Amino acid sequence: MSKKSNNQGRAYEFSYLIILYKEISKIRPVIINKNSSYFSAEKAWNTLTDDNKNLYKVSALAGINTIFDLEPLILDDSNDELEIEIQADDKGKLGDVRDILIIRQGIEWEIGLSIKHNHFAVKHSRLSKKLDFGEKWYGKNCSELYWRDIKPIFEYLDNEKKKSSKWSDLPNKEDDVYVPLLKAFKKELERQNTLNKKEIPKLIVEYLLGKFDFYKIIGIDNKKITQIQSYNLRGTLNKPGNERKKNIEIPISILPTRIVSLDFKPNSKNTLELYLDAGWQFSFRIHNASTKVEPSLKFDIQIIGMPTTIIPIDCKWKQ
């Protein structure tokens, strides 16, 4: 992710924090926990023009109004103080993809929001000569066969790095790097799935989507809509309040139990498509994340199909 995109993402998170505070404080006591992530987001926010600040606020308000309909416990009548905070980026490495938390300590309740600005990416995981993706993704170490398969690929990249080569200098990076690396990745997933059929599909999705239920909120500027997707995999979202009732009902989604298909996207040398049962579908596009050659590549992982229980809600902006 470029520095500009990173700053825009942080600023967009900050817009949600200030709009949440403004709207909630009309109804009940609320505080913002000002941690290091808060100050980083505030700094990014202050780099925006006034026009962009207003745009982000309008986008955030559209999403937040619908979140209030989904989560009555946010505004439910009570004397306890509600807390909101931006989570540290390191939480993502621990399986928590939520950017903003809304917390009521008094009833031991919280929900999380994953905030995206103009993109739908799920993860940007890496593959390298030393990174054990199996241990990180689903708790199973990669096999010796996997390390053997990827060794010549990364030896080639190491040699090109020593020559200060650029990726654009490589005569055929797709056939020499992307295809064999994806084939090794594919074989390893299939190998582990054969050994652990009851675990791997579920663990992969939990790695990609995190260990906690959450709402993904995507601001789409060119369409002037904010889309909300509810990932209610454990039934912790959409709880009714004592006084307020939920205006929108969302179902619980089922995690997958088997891999249906894992193969190259048609006519592509850089993308695998993973199809699981229960309606889950993902694409894994491998790419170089830098201009100069380095022995590390990055995935752009996208959801290309979701269970019918995950119903996207498009919230139109009011300007």
Side-chain angles (χ1 to χ4, degrees), residues 195-209:
L195 297 172
N196 306 277
K197 282 191 175 181
K198 292 183 178 180
E199 297 179 304
I200 296 298
K202 171 180 175 286
L203 292 172
I204 288 175
V205 172
E206 286 189 324
Y207 165 74
L208 295 174
L209 299 180

Side-chain angles (χ1 to χ4, degrees), residues 20 23-28 64-65 67-69 71-78 82 102 104 109 241 243-244:
L20 276 167
E23 296 302 312
I24 294 170
S25 62
K26 295 176 182 177
I27 308 295
R28 62 175 300 143
I64 286 166
N65 282 334
I67 291 294
F68 289 162
D69 287 335
E71 292 294 336
L73 280 171
I74 296 175
L75 300 178
D76 199 46
D77 294 339
S78 177
L82 187 142
I102 304 170
R104 285 180 61 184
W109 173 89
E243 303 293 332
R244 295 172 182 265

Side-chain angles (χ1 to χ4, degrees), residues 133 138 143 145-146 148-150 179-194 262 264 272:
F133 82 87
Y138 42 75
S143 67
L145 290 172
Y146 171 75
R148 186 196 66 190
D149 288 344
I150 68 169
V179 171
L181 186 56
L182 286 177
K183 283 183 176 179
F185 172 79
K186 175 179 180 290
K187 283 196 295 183
E188 181 62 17
L189 267 186
E190 291 172 337
R191 192 179 293 121
Q192 292 296 340
N193 184 55
T194 299
L262 174 61
F264 279 85
L272 291 173

Side-chain angles (χ1 to χ4, degrees), residues 201-202 205 254-261 275-281 307:
K202 171 180 175 286
V205 172
I254 299 172
L255 286 164
T257 60
R258 61 190 176 92
I259 292 175
V260 177
S261 171
Y275 292 82
L276 305 115
D277 65 334
W280 296 100
Q281 301 170 19

Side-chain angles (χ1 to χ4, degrees), residues 234-246:
R234 302 158 191 89
T236 63
L237 302 180
N238 203 219
K239 299 293 187 182
N242 291 324
E243 303 293 332
R244 295 172 182 265
K245 304 305 176 186
K246 50 194 175 185

